[in-house]
Amino acid sequence: MKLSEIKNELQKLNTIAFQLPNGDLVPSHFHVTEVGKVTKHFIDCGSTVRQEEVVNFQLWEANDYDHRLHPEKLVHIIELSEKVLGLPDAEIEVEYQMRDTIGKFSLDFDGTNFLLTSKQTDCLAKDNCGIPPEKLKAKIGEWKPKTATCCTPDSGCC
């Protein structure tokens, strides 16, 4: 989800809820303690120099049960951050304290809750560093050859 998309969705809501990948909700008394721009400048294993930029939200909860962040307040925080930090309309990455470390999540929306979705590592240079492409996986009985009547050398069935 991009910054412009969360602002648009917040305008339609009365309350904000963030849902973890396991279905649990972040406690409603959370705070957004940081909004920032994170730039990652790196070289991948195929020697390609890359740069990525995301907008980062940090969610935090404390024993402050009397204050709840309202959608209009978060829009104000985002707009101030855009002005002061020059935030781009980039993808949002959310940090949230897990049991022993900070979890990093992508962000989506289901019409009610903002969904913290799992992020995965990946090799960005598979073609340059010798990793073979994944073979197409088909369940036994679901694969059908191009020609159903016979198997010839150019039919693709063997």
Side-chain angles (χ1 to χ4, degrees):
M1 170 173 270
K2 290 191 171 199
L3 196 58
S4 61
E5 294 170 311
I6 194 171
K7 285 172 44 181
N8 184 45
E9 296 301 341
L10 286 167
Q11 308 268 353
K12 304 172 193 173
L13 296 176
N14 293 321
T15 60
I16 307 170
F18 286 92
Q19 185 175 341
L20 294 161
N22 68 2
D24 291 347
L25 293 176
V26 170
S28 61
H29 57 279
F30 75 91
H31 295 259
V32 175
T33 58
E34 294 178 11
V35 174
K37 176 172 54 173
V38 177
T39 302
K40 182 179 174 183
H41 190 203
F42 61 102
I43 187 166
D44 67 25
C45 60
S47 301
T48 301
V49 176
R50 298 176 185 266
Q51 188 164 323
E52 294 177 355
E53 195 168 70
V54 296
V55 172
N56 180 269
F57 287 10
Q58 185 180 80
L59 305 184
W60 181 72
E61 59 184 273
N63 296 328
D64 178 9
Y65 298 99
D66 296 328
H67 297 92
R68 186 177 168 123
L69 183 63
H70 294 279
E72 62 276 3
K73 176 68 173 177
L74 183 51
V75 169
H76 173 72
I77 293 167
I78 292 169
E79 289 174 345
L80 178 62
S81 301
E82 285 176 309
K83 179 181 168 186
V84 173
L85 301 175
L87 295 182
D89 187 25
E91 289 293 321
I92 298 170
E93 178 180 82
V94 179
E95 294 178 348
Y96 179 66
Q97 182 66 46
M98 303 305 289
R99 187 179 308 203
D100 296 325
T101 190
I102 296 171
K104 283 188 167 190
F105 301 92
S106 294
L107 189 64
D108 204 351
F109 186 66
D110 69 2
T112 304
N113 297 325
F114 291 101
L115 308 175
L116 302 181
T117 59
S118 298
K119 295 181 76 131
Q120 303 291 319
T121 61
D122 194 9
C123 176
L124 300 176
K126 292 180 186 90
D127 55 339
N128 279 345
C129 68
I131 296 181
E134 286 190 42
K135 294 187 178 185
L136 181 63
K137 295 178 183 176
K139 291 182 182 174
I140 295 176
E142 289 183 0
W143 182 80
K144 293 185 172 65
K146 291 180 182 173
T147 59
T149 55
C150 67
C151 187
T152 61
D154 63 343
S155 69
C157 68
C158 46

